[in-house]
Amino acid sequence: MDFENFSAGTSIMHAADVRLKLIGALFFSVVVALCHSLSGAGLALLIGLVLLAGARLAPLQVARRLLLVNLFLLFFWGTLPFSAAGPAFDFGLLHISQAGVRLATLVTLKTNAIIMVFLALVATSSMVAIGHGLAALRLPNRLCVLLLFTYRYIFVLQQEYQRLRRAALLRGFVPATSLHTYRTYGNLLGMTLVKSWQRGIRVQQAMQLRGFQGRFYLLTPPAVRGRDWLLFVLLLTAASAVAVTELTSRAGGCP
Amino acid sequence: MHLAEGILSGPVLLGGAVLAAVGTGIGLRKIDQERLMTTALLSAAFFVASLVHVPVGPGSVHLLLNGLMALLLGWGCVPAILVALVLQAVFFQFGGFTVLGVNVVIIAGAGLLGSCMFRSRLADAKGRAVAAFMAGFLSVALAALFMAVALVTTNQNFLVTARVVFVAHLPVMVVEGAITMFVVGFLAKVQPEILGLDGSLIKKEE
């Protein structure tokens, strides 16, 4: 399983303070999500590409992620151009709606732009850093502890599940579309849940024994450096540029 | 079952975010310090389960298990699902910040609504299988419905897309119902406390 492929690295994006990256990414995503114009969404995509280049991630893995998201978007390309109302391009029997093509293009631009910014800013931090960053941003502490512990045990439970599954396969289990298959999966998942629940009780007791008060203490409080602020200001400027492009194109009435 | 970023309109995103925040607040209040670890572990188990592909005909579907989560965790399933979605967003870039609230409402809201009628019937061994099947089935059906509603409220042109989404989830509903039924049957035999059937270790929901 390929988790957290992008969090290790030495680029400016990796080195920047996680809190500023989270706020910047949130701000940028919200601006892009509210775009209706193709020019605004197009500019956002360009900025996304620049940020992604700045993160210097493994290109093949990034391409795979983007491919997956765009496969999901194919679903919109498969329906919208043929179903939307309004004037259409006619090719014999085929009516391709202009509004449908425009909507599908807009969605594709926006989705890719936000994903790129997310990859560049959020996926470049480790989950632990994000969890502590969210707590520092005053999200409910219990939620952040829940996030960090869920993350901590995903890998353990993944191995537990795989062990059960391997045992089933060794005993001749062949998944098919049958009630037997669903019962077997039900038992495998049920056993994983039982194990996770029992482990939860043990972890709870162990933490209690060590005086856990529901809060993590950091030995090195994170510090924001000058270049982090510079990146943050650049992000806000980029997001504002998208917003201005969007508003002018709305005022001008062009797409 | 997620919507990606960049599809929905501002009001839909905002509505989802507000509802998800309220639900998370209620859920966090229900998870006390003693149940925090079991909730985290169950949440991790559900994350793992959601990566499992189950064969259906020539293809395969991946499980959602929102009905089962709501049966096990009650309101606590809202923060648990929120956490799982954050992890999926960071790991796989499925969904992101702006659409997070809507996705929480689609999955957790549907799970709570779909299983609320059946949660109390799990104690009865006779009707347990049917109740669990219905909870799993309805939770996915409602999730598909919520997703369709989110799309259509954004833009009328999404109507056909929304219909395709709903129809595509019909086989998933049946599979989820069956899996939920078998998991609940297994838990009732092996560790009934998880279902709250033997309230010695976990507190009953007030």
Side-chain angles (χ1 to χ4, degrees):
Chain A
M1 201 161 316
D2 44 357
F3 285 160
E4 283 200 304
N5 305 12
F6 304 116
S7 62
T10 52
S11 75
I12 357 165
M13 299 299 174
H14 287 94
D17 182 77
V18 65
R19 292 163 295 176
L20 291 182
K21 285 201 293 183
L22 285 170
I23 299 174
L26 176 65
F27 189 70
F28 193 89
S29 312
V30 169
V31 169
V32 178
L34 295 178
C35 275
H36 284 293
S37 69
L38 290 177
S39 46
L43 178 64
L45 187 70
L46 279 180
I47 295 170
L49 276 169
V50 172
L51 289 174
L52 197 54
R56 286 187 291 159
L57 302 170
L60 266 179
Q61 289 187 354
V62 171
R64 252 184 59 203
R65 290 298 157 86
L66 291 175
L67 187 71
L68 272 179
V69 173
N70 284 291
L71 281 178
F72 173 78
L73 291 175
L74 268 186
F75 186 64
F76 287 91
W77 281 100
T79 51
L80 282 175
F82 310 104
S83 64
F89 307 110
D90 283 306
F91 301 103
L93 285 175
L94 219 56
H95 299 283
I96 304 222
S97 154
Q98 294 176 11
V101 172
R102 189 185 175 283
L103 187 58
T105 314
L106 181 69
V107 163
T108 308
L109 289 175
K110 283 165 69 176
T111 303
N112 279 295
I114 299 182
I115 294 279
M116 284 176 185
V117 171
F118 200 89
L119 271 171
L121 293 175
V122 183
T124 47
S125 292
S126 72
M127 202 58 231
V128 174
I130 293 171
H132 289 303
L134 289 173
L137 291 172
R138 302 295 161 110
L139 253 78
N141 188 55
R142 204 174 275 177
L143 189 64
C144 300
V145 172
L146 191 64
L147 178 71
L148 287 171
F149 270 97
T150 302
Y151 166 70
R152 162 70 181 80
Y153 284 103
I154 279 176
F155 307 95
V156 177
L157 292 176
Q158 168 72 14
Q159 282 170 8
E160 296 253 13
Y161 172 75
Q162 288 301 342
R163 208 153 52 86
L164 291 171
R165 190 171 160 275
R166 259 198 310 276
L169 292 178
L170 274 175
R171 283 157 182 76
F173 169 57
V174 182
T177 309
S178 66
L179 221 50
H180 171 70
T181 299
Y182 298 152
R183 180 179 292 120
T184 309
Y185 273 115
N187 290 345
L188 290 183
L189 294 173
M191 196 61 216
T192 311
L193 286 173
V194 168
K195 286 184 172 191
S196 76
W197 192 74
Q198 291 176 342
R199 190 186 283 267
I201 291 176
R202 289 200 305 275
V203 172
Q204 171 67 40
Q205 290 168 341
M207 294 299 279
Q208 216 165 7
L209 199 63
R210 285 155 182 79
F212 184 60
Q213 302 276 349
R215 177 175 289 281
F216 291 113
Y217 300 92
L218 294 179
L219 289 178
T220 47
V224 184
R225 286 162 303 175
R227 61 177 192 184
D228 296 349
W229 283 114
L230 187 66
L231 179 70
F232 186 61
V233 170
L234 281 175
L235 273 174
L236 294 192
T237 317
S240 311
V242 173
V244 168
T245 315
E246 168 73 16
L247 291 176
T248 35
S249 71
R250 271 193 212 179
C254 56
Chain B
M1 178 114 96
H2 308 77
L3 282 166
E5 290 276 9
I7 295 167
L8 300 176
S9 66
V12 177
L13 294 173
L14 185 67
V18 170
L19 280 178
V22 172
T24 307
I26 298 174
L28 284 177
R29 204 161 296 172
K30 297 265 178 188
I31 309 171
D32 46 28
Q33 198 63 44
E34 274 173 38
R35 281 170 63 176
L36 193 57
M37 294 305 156
T38 39
T39 308
L41 267 288
L42 286 176
S43 178
F46 278 111
F47 184 95
V48 170
S50 72
L51 301 174
V52 172
H53 283 258
V54 175
V56 178
S60 70
V61 298
H62 81 93
L63 296 171
L64 193 63
L65 297 178
N66 56 338
L68 185 63
M69 257 179 123
L71 285 177
L72 265 57
L73 295 169
W75 276 97
C77 81
V78 186
I81 285 170
L82 173 69
V83 160
L85 286 175
V86 169
L87 290 172
Q88 291 197 339
V90 176
F91 290 159
F92 314 121
Q93 290 79 50
F94 293 161
F97 287 134
T98 64
V99 79
L100 191 59
V102 175
N103 280 334
V104 166
V105 173
I106 288 175
I107 298 177
L112 279 175
L113 204 63
S115 64
C116 62
M117 286 174 281
F118 305 106
R119 209 174 173 211
S120 56
R121 299 200 189 166
L122 294 183
D124 171 26
K126 258 188 191 166
R128 185 181 296 141
V130 177
F133 181 90
M134 286 310 292
F137 182 92
L138 259 186
S139 297
V140 177
L142 284 172
L145 187 70
F146 286 1
M147 198 170 186
V149 169
L151 284 170
V152 175
T153 357
T154 289
N155 192 323
Q156 288 293 319
N157 285 333
F158 280 129
L159 189 63
V160 174
T161 316
R163 277 194 198 138
V164 175
V165 165
F166 191 82
V167 173
H169 279 95
L170 283 173
V172 188
M173 295 171 201
V174 178
V175 173
E176 284 271 342
I179 299 265
T180 307
M181 178 177 81
F182 288 127
V183 172
V184 167
F186 181 88
L187 292 177
K189 267 183 266 173
V190 178
Q191 192 95 54
E193 299 96 320
I194 304 186
L195 294 167
L197 296 182
D198 176 359
S200 58
L201 281 167
I202 61 170
K203 277 189 229 158
K204 261 187 92 86
E205 201 82 20
E206 280 87 28

